[in-house]
Amino acid sequence: MKVLIVIGGDTKRFKELGGDSPSLPKLPLSYPFYGYLKNQGIDVEIVSLNFESWEGKSKPRFNTIFGYLKLFLLVPYILKFDFIITWGFIGPVIAFILLPFCQNRKIFTMVYANESSKLKNLFSKVKNSLFLKGLKLCGGLIYMTKEQIEQVCNEFNLSPERVFHLPVGVDVEYFNEKNNSDFISPEVLKLPLKKYVVVSGDQLRNELEIVNVMEGSGLKLLRLTQSVKTQLFWEDWNKNKSSNLEVLCKAHLSFQEVRYGYQNALCVLNLVDNTWQPAGWTVLIEGMACGVPVIMNQGLVTRELKRYSPSPPLVEVVQMLRKEEIQEVLKKLTNQPSYAEELGVRGRKFIEKNLSIEKTGKCLLSILYDKHPI
């Protein structure tokens, strides 16, 4: 079996986080599709369209257009593979390109959301329509949650035989390891001197909303981000702030520093709009794998976790921005250390049982072997 992975970003980084670098965690958007398949003896190759930065953000529109045009030149190369795995809008585009060759069923696309929550203009509506038509041309659609599968089958009239479930897993072993202080900066090592809360991730987060929730809590904030823009926001805020909220935010901390930040935190505060896609999933499972409590608002992600257990080991808040409710939870975690510790231990066991990255790799392998191109 020959599998081609088509990505938008850096190939070297994808391989490192897909298992090639033993000092880095195996990440869910790399490892199951690359390292795990290689370990099972499958021939895997990667090609990049080079229109995303390391932060996962789009480069100038010219790069995106050039990236998609590159696909036409790659057709002879792509046709040599048994499966093509890709993400988002790339899959539908390849499906349209391969349709004249009757090879579009080779494409398996990881779909984050069935539609955007922000269809503001005619262009976005046309793009969404093309996206849905392209998805129907693919051989397989892969979703993180079963709720999305139910939606796409019912509302978009897709055959259940072409829709698959692949939950996002986490490298439990890596996030369980102890930290070597030689690889951690002094400012990060000092974090446990005061109780602090971790807010991690960039997608669909609003920094001012984080300020609103954290102000007056008496806790420090560690803001983990890959975005320099987010770091600059907090640098400016620290200079001009009118409250006593302490914030440490530095983009691109090492994975050892991120792990240390998680493991020594009071909790992970994971407030994100997950009404239309499972945003915040990776942050959630990394925090739980580190054995610390996680607070998350109700939504697609928490509903999915309840498929594994009616009462998943996290603190679920009703509203994303209800400050009083969240601060009551923070007080309880602060004042009842045994409760916080017990919740963290249960969370780690939950992840080990249900969402280790090796288990998700087996799911992908099953998809490829059981469902051959039509």
Side-chain angles (χ1 to χ4, degrees):
M1 183 189 296
K2 293 186 65 176
V3 176
L4 176 65
I5 312 295
V6 183
I7 62 175
D10 179 36
T11 302
K12 180 175 180 292
R13 190 66 175 171
F14 187 89
K15 290 182 177 181
E16 288 176 343
L17 298 173
D20 274 4
S21 177
S23 64
L24 297 176
K26 295 173 283 192
L27 291 194
L29 291 182
S30 301
Y31 176 71
F33 308 96
Y34 172 66
Y36 185 87
L37 294 184
K38 279 207 320 176
N39 293 341
Q40 301 303 312
I42 293 175
D43 184 3
V44 183
E45 295 185 27
I46 302 173
V47 64
S48 174
L49 305 183
N50 294 312
F51 55 61
E52 284 184 355
S53 68
W54 184 51
E55 297 173 6
K57 295 182 178 179
S58 296
K59 292 181 179 179
R61 187 174 295 275
F62 174 80
N63 295 69
T64 304
I65 295 172
F66 181 78
Y68 283 121
L69 290 176
K70 180 180 177 181
L71 287 171
F72 288 92
L73 300 177
L74 289 171
V75 167
Y77 172 67
I78 293 174
L79 291 175
K80 296 177 181 179
F81 291 86
D82 300 303
F83 292 97
I84 300 98
I85 300 175
T86 188
W87 288 261
F89 203 75
I90 299 175
V93 171
I94 300 177
F96 279 118
I97 293 173
L98 296 188
L99 181 60
F101 303 92
C102 299
Q103 297 293 306
N104 49 294
R105 296 302 194 202
K106 290 183 174 183
I107 302 160
F108 281 63
T109 299
M110 187 83 187
V111 188
Y112 298 117
N114 290 320
E115 59 184 308
S116 172
S117 66
K118 298 179 180 179
L119 300 177
K120 293 182 177 180
N121 52 47
L122 180 61
F123 173 77
S124 63
K125 291 179 180 179
V126 170
K127 181 180 177 182
N128 188 63
S129 177
L130 291 173
F131 173 68
L132 293 175
K133 290 179 180 178
L135 287 181
K136 291 181 178 181
L137 294 176
C138 294
L141 306 182
I142 303 173
Y143 286 89
M144 293 166 56
T145 70
K146 291 184 178 180
E147 183 174 320
Q148 289 172 298
I149 291 175
E150 293 165 0
Q151 179 192 30
V152 78
C153 291
N154 294 332
E155 297 183 18
F156 302 109
N157 197 30
L158 282 182
S159 168
E161 295 180 355
R162 288 177 40 222
V163 185
F164 307 98
H165 179 228
L166 182 66
V168 171
V170 65
D171 189 344
V172 178
E173 183 178 346
Y174 182 87
F175 284 102
N176 251 328
E177 288 180 9
K178 293 183 178 180
N179 297 283
N180 186 335
S181 60
D182 293 340
F183 298 98
I184 301 172
S185 64
E187 59 184 341
V188 175
L189 282 174
K190 291 178 182 177
L191 279 169
L193 296 176
K194 181 176 181 178
K195 287 186 182 296
Y196 66 93
V197 171
V198 171
V199 174
S200 183
D202 297 308
Q203 187 184 41
L204 304 178
R205 268 82 173 183
N206 185 310
E207 306 308 308
L208 291 175
E209 292 172 351
I210 297 171
V211 171
N212 176 60
V213 171
M214 287 297 302
E215 275 188 317
S217 67
L219 299 165
K220 188 171 181 176
L221 170 65
L222 171 61
R223 182 69 176 94
L224 298 177
T225 179
Q226 299 298 330
S227 170
V228 175
K229 183 179 178 181
T230 299
Q231 177 183 323
L232 292 174
F233 169 88
W234 287 107
E235 287 178 355
D236 291 340
W237 189 86
N238 278 327
K239 292 176 184 176
N240 305 310
K241 69 179 182 180
S242 57
S243 73
N244 59 359
L245 175 62
E246 295 181 56
V247 182
L248 173 61
C249 179
K250 186 177 179 182
H252 300 305
L253 290 177
S254 70
F255 278 105
Q256 290 92 338
E257 290 172 320
V258 169
R259 181 176 60 192
Y260 181 88
Y262 276 137
Q263 290 179 349
N264 292 281
L266 173 69
C267 66
V268 175
L269 185 59
N270 191 29
L271 305 180
V272 60
D273 178 8
N274 67 122
T275 57
W276 59 286
Q277 68 165 313
W281 183 291
T282 302
V283 171
L284 173 86
I285 59 178
E286 286 179 352
M288 293 174 77
C290 285
V292 295
V294 177
I295 302 172
M296 188 163 190
N297 54 289
Q298 287 183 353
L300 182 59
V301 173
T302 57
R303 289 195 297 271
E304 187 69 16
L305 289 188
K306 289 175 183 177
R307 294 178 184 266
Y308 296 94
S309 169
S311 300
L314 75 158
V315 181
E316 183 181 26
V317 293
V318 177
Q319 297 180 25
M320 184 167 65
L321 301 176
R322 189 175 175 186
K323 180 176 180 178
E324 296 78 11
E325 181 185 9
I326 295 167
Q327 290 201 345
E328 281 300 313
V329 174
L330 293 176
K331 286 180 183 178
K332 183 176 181 180
L333 293 172
T334 301
N335 297 329
Q336 300 182 33
S338 59
Y339 164 72
E341 182 179 3
E342 187 263 344
L343 186 59
V345 170
R346 286 174 52 216
R348 179 157 52 209
K349 289 181 179 178
F350 176 88
I351 295 299
E352 289 173 346
K353 179 181 178 181
N354 300 297
L355 294 169
S356 75
I357 202 163
E358 299 299 329
K359 287 180 181 287
T360 59
K362 290 181 181 178
C363 288
L364 178 63
L365 197 65
S366 176
I367 290 171
L368 297 183
Y369 271 117
D370 294 345
K371 303 294 181 181
H372 297 288
I374 299 171

